[in-house]
Amino acid sequence: MQPAVSPPSASPAASRDERRALELLSGTPYGRISVSMRALPFVTVARHVVADGKVLLRLHGGFGYARACDGSVVAYGADNLAEREEGDESVWTVQFVGTARVFRPDAAQLELFGRAPRSADAAPFVPEYLCIEPQFITLHHLEGVPARRAAHAA
């Protein structure tokens, strides 16, 4: 599969790859959001769901990242690297950029997210939510990558 990097008005083949990227993203619950804050980059973990072609994120409000991202162009990425089992040699990564907006999820969207974590860095988890409409989606797919588990020293 060829990587797809395309604006929204791309060819039908690119649109098919974009749809496939969102399908793959739907199959994994967490990813990483990246943004520049005070001219410095930062990356943090977020729970995501895909709804109506948009990616909805749940972050811990205690970090202040959702407010920092609101109105900014962000990058978001997820993959299946940690979820592979022995014998699964297929690796994919999805990345996209888009403008993030703080939003308040409705009851159906909250249900999609499922139960929130109890804590974040030993503080009670306080959810904040972002909505991103993906632009410039990139999908990379590798085959023949053995799944390896880290060995622990005795």
Side-chain angles (χ1 to χ4, degrees):
M1 180 176 288
Q2 295 293 321
V5 179
S6 55
S9 61
S11 70
S15 294
R16 188 172 45 251
D17 285 345
E18 289 174 2
R19 283 191 304 276
R20 179 66 180 138
L22 290 176
E23 287 171 11
L24 289 169
L25 196 61
S26 294
T28 189
Y30 285 89
R32 291 157 299 282
I33 186 169
S34 304
V35 72
S36 179
M37 186 163 54
R38 296 185 193 102
L40 297 172
F42 76 88
V43 178
T44 193
V45 66
R47 168 77 168 101
H48 66 261
V49 296
V50 178
D52 300 322
K54 296 178 180 158
V55 179
L56 311 178
L57 304 181
R58 180 177 64 201
L59 305 142
H60 173 52
F63 298 148
Y65 294 157
R67 289 183 305 279
C69 292
D70 190 29
S72 295
V73 173
V74 301
Y76 191 76
D79 55 57
N80 71 333
L81 294 171
E83 299 167 0
R84 296 183 312 130
E85 298 295 328
E86 193 64 39
D88 181 0
E89 295 190 347
S90 178
V91 170
W92 59 264
T93 64
V94 171
Q95 297 177 18
F96 66 84
V97 296
T99 302
R101 297 285 180 204
V102 169
F103 85 106
R104 183 173 301 201
D106 61 28
Q109 291 165 332
L110 286 172
E111 188 172 321
L112 291 174
F113 279 109
R115 185 176 64 82
R118 284 186 301 279
S119 66
D121 294 342
F125 186 87
V126 178
E128 286 188 338
Y129 299 90
L130 291 172
C131 177
I132 307 168
E133 188 166 345
Q135 304 290 314
F136 306 106
I137 299 172
T138 304
L139 167 62
H140 294 290
H141 191 205
L142 303 174
E143 289 293 339
V145 180
R148 299 192 202 274
R149 299 289 174 223
H152 297 284

